[in-house]
Amino acid sequence: MKYLSVQETAAHLTACESAEILIHRSPDGDCIGSGYALLYALRQMGKKARVVCHDPIPERYHFMLPEVQTLELFHPELIVAVDVADEKLLGDGLLEQYTGKIDLCIDHHISNTEYAEALCLDGQAAAAAQVLYAVLKEMPVTITKEIAACLYTGLATDTGCFMYDNVSPRTLRIAAEIMEQHPDIPYAQINRNMFIVKSMGRIRLDQLLAGQLESALDGQCMLICVTRSLMEEYGLDESELEGIAGFPLQVEGVQVGIVMKEREKGVFKVSMRSADWVNVSAICQTLGGGGHIKAAGCTINGSAEEAKRILIDAVAKGMAKA
Amino acid sequence: MKYLSVQETAAHLTACESAEILIHRSPDGDCIGSGYALLYALRQMGKKARVVCHDPIPERYHFMLPEVQTLELFHPELIVAVDVADEKLLGDGLLEQYTGKIDLCIDHHISNTEYAEALCLDGQAAAAAQVLYAVLKEMPVTITKEIAACLYTGLATDTGCFMYDNVSPRTLRIAAEIMEQHPDIPYAQINRNMFIVKSMGRIRLDQLLAGQLESALDGQCMLICVTRSLMEEYGLDESELEGIAGFPLQVEGVQVGIVMKEREKGVFKVSMRSADWVNVSAICQTLGGGGHIKAAGCTINGSAEEAKRILIDAVAKGMAKA
């Protein structure tokens, strides 16, 4: 494995005749935007390119795809992974097919497992799209409207619309440059579809979750317990419950948000989130789990009431220590 | 009334010895941020300054206020309104006190009623904070951390965290400059408190509203009807229902969102919002109301069911015409 600079990466891509672009499973706005921005850039240079993903591209991201979906048959000279921190994130099937065969990875995850032969990594970048913008600027490529829309979507996705602490002055300036060169892209509409619009099912789920909020430790800890019986009552499956870990943190005054999901009878998979200063990784470690300072997890066995008591005790101790 | 350039406005402020800064009632992040940024700038230059508002500053904006709240007693040489499009927005009491006496207005509303003796207006600016940033850059003032936090908050507030179509490359570049000069401001935390965190009451209200959503015209129109009896049942008052007009638009596929509030028995105040291409101003005009293309309103008399039918018919006709 060798690290490539932005210039070396640009030269590598410019030299190839064809490329297969791999993005991670459960694709989001950043890997789709970055993957297709690279595809458009390579095609602009007369090269063959295709994007490969384990899962279908969700409909709200279809505006980034080529108008005519051509199935290009070619044997790729270069296999490039974009926004893929770990080969495993390619998903089953693709993992077996591509493991050990990836020539180049363009990424922004500091945790990148260095699986590719060459790696262009900027762990400070807010999004893969931010790294890719730098690479494309070093290639003989025009940032067309379609490339611009893809890169903007990547930047917006991974920053929560420029909200999170991964935003740097550079992130904002790239968005400014894109907007200046392409004032006719419907940025606000893209943001609305990504950040505001929800399916009716998701609205009903939020409504249900709001009804399950339980307050502990004078409102400093908010907890949601999703039992098997609740899931059965409302016909929820596991996949619908992805991404709800942050829900309790939206309540004013909360420091620690907990979501407990009953995986099987009496076994709770716990996600713990910190709003600010509480180290939830340390708390989850006392319960046999772990993770990041602001996002951690563990598994608790017992009844829902026992599990809640154990969790709240651990949070109280963790907060007292800090 | 005369229009002042940014430079003339800076000179005017630099020449004064003291200023009273007026902001609008129901103060938001932009008028508070802009008002206090100006206060800090003037005090930095050794001048006396105070901010005056009809309503108390909401707690989530308190981080922008001076640590020590000094009541400065002075007779202001200059009376400056910031982010106030119309004198009436000062609120009762202040309106009577200040009408005809405002020396300078710094604003970004194209609809400004030109009530001040001198007006520095940039109708293209996303926020008053964006205009104020330009003015402060022309004054012998350092953009300190406290000024930067105020201006950033103003920009973020009025753009929905850089989400809306009022964002320009300049808006993003000002945010980038501020962030570069003051990397130690907790931007993500400020955004979280403004855009994510909700009171438990607000969460309960959203939960209630989600339960009231009614779909019409194959889901292209979503409607919420808040009757007197619903308000009584849940103990809601009028003020709690401010800002709910956008709620139905978050549903996937919706083109027109309607919120009907029963003001008195059989009288419905209607807010209509458009997600994209439907002109709701034209629709509301057919019902005796009016407004902007994407945000309009009207009043309908009748039972809830009658009012709904009238509204949905009008929306269907308006959509068919377009």
Side-chain angles (χ1 to χ4, degrees):
Chain A
M1 208 288 301
K2 67 176 174 204
Y3 277 92
L4 295 191
S5 68
V6 160
Q7 290 77 12
E8 287 165 336
T9 307
H12 205 11
L13 289 164
T14 303
C16 83
E17 281 307 307
S18 62
E20 189 151 83
I21 301 160
L22 308 178
I23 60 177
H24 61 72
R25 69 178 179 213
S26 305
D28 60 17
D30 190 28
C31 76
I32 299 167
S34 302
Y36 279 94
L38 181 55
L39 175 136
Y40 292 126
L42 294 173
R43 288 190 179 172
Q44 191 186 122
M45 295 169 77
K47 302 172 194 306
K48 288 181 189 299
R50 63 176 166 242
V51 172
V52 174
C53 184
H54 180 270
D55 302 311
I57 306 295
E59 202 178 319
R60 68 179 178 287
Y61 297 121
H62 280 192
F63 71 93
M64 289 188 275
L65 308 191
E67 282 192 23
V68 181
Q69 288 278 7
T70 51
L71 183 64
E72 287 204 80
L73 294 169
F74 61 92
H75 184 76
E77 189 186 322
L78 204 67
I79 295 174
V80 192
V82 174
D83 195 38
V84 181
D86 187 318
E87 272 182 317
K88 285 177 198 155
L89 298 173
L90 292 173
D92 292 344
L94 291 189
L95 174 62
E96 290 73 54
Q97 191 180 341
Y98 289 100
T99 192
K101 295 181 188 155
I102 298 170
D103 302 297
L104 173 64
C105 172
I106 300 172
D107 194 18
H108 72 117
H109 295 95
I110 197 78
S111 59
N112 188 289
T113 59
E114 304 188 341
Y115 57 85
E117 198 180 314
L119 174 59
C120 177
L121 178 71
D122 178 356
Q124 299 295 309
Q130 186 169 328
V131 188
L132 204 74
Y133 184 81
V135 171
L136 295 186
K137 288 298 243 187
E138 299 291 331
M139 288 167 66
V141 158
T142 304
I143 305 291
T144 57
K145 186 177 168 182
E146 55 197 4
I147 294 177
C150 286
L151 294 175
Y152 179 87
T153 304
L155 292 178
T157 299
D158 269 23
T159 57
C161 207
F162 310 100
M163 188 181 286
Y164 306 150
D165 60 9
N166 58 358
V167 175
S168 68
R170 178 150 174 75
T171 318
L172 294 167
R173 287 200 176 104
I174 293 173
E177 278 178 37
I178 287 173
M179 201 174 271
E180 196 157 58
Q181 283 159 37
H182 296 285
D184 51 339
I185 291 173
Y187 300 99
Q189 198 68 27
I190 291 173
N191 291 330
R192 198 183 107 75
N193 287 332
M194 287 200 299
F195 300 110
I196 304 290
V197 169
K198 301 182 198 175
S199 69
M200 205 59 220
R202 179 73 219 196
I203 289 173
R204 293 281 174 244
L205 177 62
D206 283 356
Q207 192 189 354
L208 173 65
L209 294 174
Q212 299 298 318
L213 278 167
E214 293 176 51
S215 171
L217 307 176
D218 292 329
Q220 290 186 93
C221 180
M222 276 281 167
L223 186 145
I224 290 175
C225 180
V226 183
T227 58
R228 299 298 321 167
S229 63
L230 190 80
M231 289 175 71
E232 279 156 28
E233 186 182 343
Y234 289 90
L236 301 170
D237 64 40
E238 288 282 349
S239 69
E240 284 175 289
L241 296 174
E242 277 176 31
I244 67 166
F247 195 92
L249 274 196
Q250 71 182 303
V251 185
E252 201 169 25
V254 172
Q255 288 299 338
V256 176
I258 299 175
V259 173
M260 306 161 55
K261 292 182 215 168
E262 193 175 17
R263 205 182 241 169
E264 50 191 270
K265 182 83 191 145
V267 180
F268 289 92
K269 190 169 171 283
V270 176
S271 299
M272 204 179 280
R273 296 285 182 273
S274 168
D276 190 9
W277 57 272
V278 180
N279 181 345
V280 290
S281 173
I283 294 172
C284 286
Q285 275 170 32
T286 69
L287 301 168
H292 305 282
I293 291 176
K294 290 195 167 186
C298 60
T299 301
I300 306 279
N301 298 315
S303 70
E305 290 312 313
E306 282 163 0
K308 281 181 205 172
R309 193 183 39 73
I310 291 167
L311 285 163
I312 291 164
D313 278 358
V315 171
K317 277 185 197 136
M319 287 179 70
K321 223 178 269 175
Chain B
M1 208 288 302
K2 67 176 173 203
Y3 277 92
L4 294 190
S5 69
V6 159
Q7 290 77 11
E8 287 166 335
T9 307
H12 204 11
L13 289 163
T14 303
C16 83
E17 281 307 308
S18 62
E20 189 150 84
I21 301 160
L22 309 179
I23 60 177
H24 61 72
R25 70 177 178 214
S26 306
D28 60 18
D30 189 28
C31 76
I32 299 166
S34 302
Y36 278 95
L38 180 56
L39 175 136
Y40 292 126
L42 294 173
R43 287 189 181 173
Q44 193 187 120
M45 294 171 77
K47 303 173 193 305
K48 289 181 188 299
R50 65 177 164 241
V51 171
V52 173
C53 184
H54 180 269
D55 302 311
I57 306 294
E59 203 177 319
R60 69 179 178 287
Y61 297 121
H62 281 192
F63 72 94
M64 289 189 275
L65 308 191
E67 281 191 24
V68 180
Q69 289 277 10
T70 50
L71 183 64
E72 286 205 80
L73 294 170
F74 61 91
H75 183 77
E77 190 186 321
L78 204 66
I79 295 175
V80 191
V82 174
D83 195 38
V84 181
D86 186 319
E87 272 182 319
K88 286 177 196 155
L89 299 173
L90 293 173
D92 293 343
L94 291 189
L95 174 62
E96 288 75 54
Q97 192 180 340
Y98 289 100
T99 193
K101 293 181 189 156
I102 298 168
D103 301 298
L104 174 63
C105 172
I106 300 171
D107 193 18
H108 71 117
H109 295 95
I110 197 76
S111 59
N112 188 289
T113 58
E114 305 187 339
Y115 57 84
E117 197 179 316
L119 173 59
C120 178
L121 177 72
D122 178 355
Q124 298 295 309
Q130 185 169 330
V131 187
L132 205 74
Y133 185 80
V135 171
L136 295 186
K137 288 298 244 186
E138 299 290 332
M139 288 167 66
V141 158
T142 305
I143 305 292
T144 57
K145 185 176 168 183
E146 54 196 5
I147 293 176
C150 286
L151 293 176
Y152 179 87
T153 304
L155 292 179
T157 299
D158 269 22
T159 58
C161 207
F162 309 102
M163 188 181 287
Y164 306 150
D165 60 8
N166 57 358
V167 174
S168 68
R170 180 152 172 75
T171 317
L172 294 167
R173 288 201 175 103
I174 293 172
E177 278 178 36
I178 287 173
M179 202 174 270
E180 197 156 58
Q181 284 160 36
H182 296 283
D184 52 338
I185 291 173
Y187 300 99
Q189 199 67 30
I190 291 173
N191 290 331
R192 200 183 106 76
N193 287 332
M194 287 201 298
F195 299 109
I196 304 290
V197 169
K198 300 182 200 177
S199 69
M200 205 57 220
R202 178 73 219 196
I203 289 173
R204 293 280 175 244
L205 177 62
D206 283 356
Q207 192 189 352
L208 173 64
L209 294 176
Q212 299 298 317
L213 277 168
E214 294 176 51
S215 172
L217 308 175
D218 290 329
Q220 291 187 94
C221 180
M222 276 282 169
L223 185 145
I224 290 176
C225 180
V226 183
T227 57
R228 300 298 320 167
S229 62
L230 190 80
M231 290 176 70
E232 278 158 27
E233 186 182 343
Y234 289 90
L236 301 171
D237 64 41
E238 287 282 349
S239 69
E240 284 176 288
L241 295 175
E242 278 176 31
I244 67 166
F247 194 92
L249 275 195
Q250 72 182 302
V251 184
E252 203 169 23
V254 173
Q255 289 298 339
V256 176
I258 299 175
V259 173
M260 304 161 55
K261 292 182 214 167
E262 192 175 19
R263 205 181 241 168
E264 52 191 90
K265 183 81 189 146
V267 180
F268 290 91
K269 190 169 169 284
V270 176
S271 299
M272 204 178 281
R273 296 286 181 272
S274 169
D276 190 9
W277 57 272
V278 180
N279 180 345
V280 291
S281 173
I283 294 172
C284 286
Q285 275 170 32
T286 68
L287 300 168
H292 304 281
I293 290 176
K294 290 193 168 188
C298 59
T299 301
I300 307 278
N301 298 316
S303 71
E305 291 311 313
E306 282 164 359
K308 280 180 205 171
R309 193 181 42 72
I310 291 167
L311 286 163
I312 292 165
D313 278 358
V315 170
K317 277 185 198 138
M319 287 178 72
K321 221 179 272 175

